[in-house]
Amino acid sequence: MKKHPLGQNPDFRKLFQQLNGQYSGKKPEDGQGEKDGTPEPERFDSNGNPVKKKKKRRRFARGGKVAAAAVILILLGTNSYYILDEENYAVVSTLGSAQAVSQAGLHFKIPFIQNVRRVSKGIKGMPIGYDPETGTSDESESIMITKDFNFVNTDFYLEYMVNDPVKYLYASSEPVATLKMLAQSYIRDTVGTHNVDDVITTGKSEIQSEIKEKLTNRMMEEDIGLAVVNITIQDAFPPTTEVLNAFKNVENAKQGKETAINNANKDRNEKIPQAEAQCDQIIKDAEAEREARINEAQGQVSRFEQMYAEYTKYPLITRQRMFYETMEEVLPHMKLYIVDESGTQKLLPLDRFAEAMEQQIASGQPSGEITIEEAQE
């Protein structure tokens, strides 16, 4: 009997079968051992060198590359443009160089190289001296001293806007805080130049104008991209109740004064036109009287000139006629007084003689002498 070259040792026979690929009567398939849970036997080539296993490629390798490329393209596409509305500025920075864009619409940029930051164009507000949410006063900001060394609690509201977005972002680290600090400084400086009565009552408009002018000029010097729109006094009142009541009384008195002045002006406006109308009427009447007297004087002058012309022709006759005419005008209005030797006085008005003669003529009696007794009767 022919002996096997490896002998009768079963381990050598098993190894030989593995070398020839005939273990268990069939060639093992790749991955079969892993599927069965048993380790896959090691394979050798014809020279006895172990054969390395080929790594199984995953079916989704190609799909992963496609997905990664798609993601990259999407990122590039979304970072290559931006949309700007009317209410914002866009500050585009390219490798440290910034540029402002204010035109609304679609704009393109270099992805991952150019960065865009939006800055609002709208007007913003800043309370000074109070908390807008709770309405409580912040005494560290609101308590101030006036020119006449009185304390006053004053609240302000500052309105501002961005006029240069590049300087707003890069010229100062805290532009809004800088604006508030400067506003508080000028507020205290201006309030300190006015009396407490002006701050609380009549001088608010002037104080607001002074603060706005000073703060605007200072912001132009600082050049941090902010501009002052307006500043207003929200409220101003004394720090104590007693002083507040006193100022209310003063304010009421001033209102009463204004009311009295308005009533006086109303009365004046009503009476002045009446007086002017009366004055015009008096002037017109005087002018009419003047014209009448002038015309009368001119008529008298004309009559005198005519009389004088007749007088120069017949002086004696003219004098007599003038004498008679004058007596006719004077004697009817005269009263005759006769005084006898005994000192008795009797009133003998001439109109009685005229009436007696008229009665005598009317009765048909012949005209004759009328005694004094008849005239007296």
Side-chain angles (χ1 to χ4, degrees):
M1 184 176 179
K2 187 177 180 180
K3 294 183 181 180
H4 197 277
L6 296 177
Q8 299 298 326
N9 191 338
D11 294 333
F12 289 105
R13 291 178 62 87
K14 190 175 183 180
L15 179 59
F16 181 76
Q17 290 177 359
Q18 290 176 357
L19 291 176
N20 293 325
Q22 297 179 353
Y23 182 74
S24 300
K26 61 179 180 178
K27 184 178 179 180
E29 297 180 359
D30 293 337
Q32 184 177 2
E34 294 180 358
K35 292 180 181 180
D36 297 340
T38 58
E40 184 180 354
E42 189 176 0
R43 299 176 60 187
F44 297 89
D45 57 10
S46 59
N47 296 324
N49 296 320
V51 177
K52 294 182 179 180
K53 297 179 181 179
K54 294 182 179 181
K55 295 182 179 180
K56 185 179 179 182
R57 296 181 179 178
R58 298 181 180 178
R59 297 179 180 179
F60 56 87
R62 183 175 297 178
K65 293 181 180 180
V66 173
V71 171
I72 293 173
L73 291 176
I74 292 173
L75 291 175
L76 291 175
T78 54
N79 284 276
S80 62
Y81 72 93
Y82 62 94
I83 299 175
L84 186 63
D85 55 15
E86 293 286 350
E87 299 179 355
N88 293 288
Y89 294 105
V91 178
V92 182
S93 57
T94 307
L95 301 177
S97 177
Q99 182 180 3
V101 178
S102 59
Q103 184 178 2
L106 179 64
H107 300 271
F108 294 95
K109 67 183 185 69
I110 303 174
F112 304 107
I113 294 179
Q114 290 183 325
N115 295 321
V116 179
R117 297 179 64 181
R118 288 174 173 79
V119 179
S120 176
K121 295 181 181 179
I123 298 175
K124 300 179 181 179
M126 176 192 303
I128 299 177
Y130 69 100
D131 187 354
E133 296 181 357
T134 61
T136 57
S137 178
D138 185 359
E139 295 185 354
S140 62
E141 297 180 355
S142 62
I143 297 296
M144 305 175 192
I145 189 170
T146 60
K147 181 180 178 180
D148 51 358
F149 302 104
N150 285 309
F151 289 97
V152 63
N153 194 333
T154 310
D155 301 334
F156 286 83
Y157 189 77
L158 175 63
E159 295 177 298
Y160 65 95
M161 63 180 299
V162 177
N163 60 354
D164 190 331
V166 176
K167 293 180 181 179
Y168 172 74
L169 293 176
Y170 300 107
S172 175
S173 59
E174 294 291 340
V176 177
T178 302
L179 174 61
K180 184 175 183 179
M181 179 184 64
L182 294 175
Q184 289 177 337
S185 175
Y186 286 116
I187 286 172
R188 293 184 179 277
D189 178 69
T190 306
V191 170
T193 60
H194 292 76
N195 295 327
V196 64
D197 187 48
D198 296 334
V199 178
I200 295 177
T201 56
T202 59
K204 292 183 179 180
S205 299
E206 181 181 356
I207 293 173
Q208 292 171 176
S209 300
E210 291 182 10
I211 296 173
K212 181 180 178 181
E213 182 179 0
K214 293 177 182 178
L215 188 57
T216 300
N217 295 333
R218 182 59 182 274
M219 293 305 297
M220 293 176 63
E221 294 177 1
E222 295 294 330
D223 197 19
I224 57 176
L226 291 178
V228 178
V229 177
N230 194 20
I231 185 168
T232 55
I233 298 177
Q234 296 294 101
D235 196 6
F237 51 90
T240 61
T241 305
E242 292 78 6
V243 179
L244 178 60
N245 294 331
F247 274 103
K248 287 182 178 179
N249 294 333
V250 173
E251 187 65 21
N252 293 333
K254 289 183 177 179
Q255 292 179 359
K257 174 186 174 183
E258 294 295 331
T259 303
I261 292 174
N262 293 334
N263 293 333
N265 291 332
K266 179 182 177 181
D267 192 19
R268 181 189 64 180
N269 295 333
E270 292 178 353
K271 291 185 176 181
I272 286 178
Q274 296 177 358
E276 291 177 348
Q278 294 177 359
C279 179
D280 293 339
Q281 186 65 34
I282 292 172
I283 291 174
K284 290 179 180 179
D285 294 341
E287 290 178 351
E289 182 70 17
R290 182 187 65 178
E291 294 293 331
R293 292 190 178 187
I294 289 174
N295 294 332
E296 183 180 359
Q298 290 177 351
Q300 292 177 0
V301 170
S302 178
R303 288 194 300 270
F304 179 80
E305 289 177 351
Q306 293 176 3
M307 188 179 297
Y308 180 74
E310 295 295 332
Y311 174 79
T312 55
K313 294 178 182 179
Y314 309 101
L316 180 59
I317 296 174
T318 303
R319 284 199 299 268
Q320 290 178 353
R321 183 175 61 80
M322 293 176 62
F323 176 77
Y324 294 147
E325 291 177 353
T326 303
M327 290 297 102
E328 289 178 354
E329 294 178 358
V330 173
L331 289 178
H333 302 287
M334 292 182 63
K335 293 182 179 180
L336 179 62
Y337 293 92
I338 299 176
V339 181
D340 58 3
E341 295 178 355
S342 62
T344 60
Q345 297 181 1
K346 293 184 179 180
L347 178 63
L348 298 176
L350 296 180
D351 55 353
R352 296 289 182 89
F353 290 97
E355 291 178 359
M357 290 186 67
E358 290 178 357
Q359 291 177 359
Q360 185 178 4
I361 294 172
S363 62
Q365 296 179 1
S367 60
E369 296 181 356
I370 300 176
T371 63
I372 294 176
E373 288 75 5
E374 292 177 351
Q376 290 177 349
E377 293 177 356

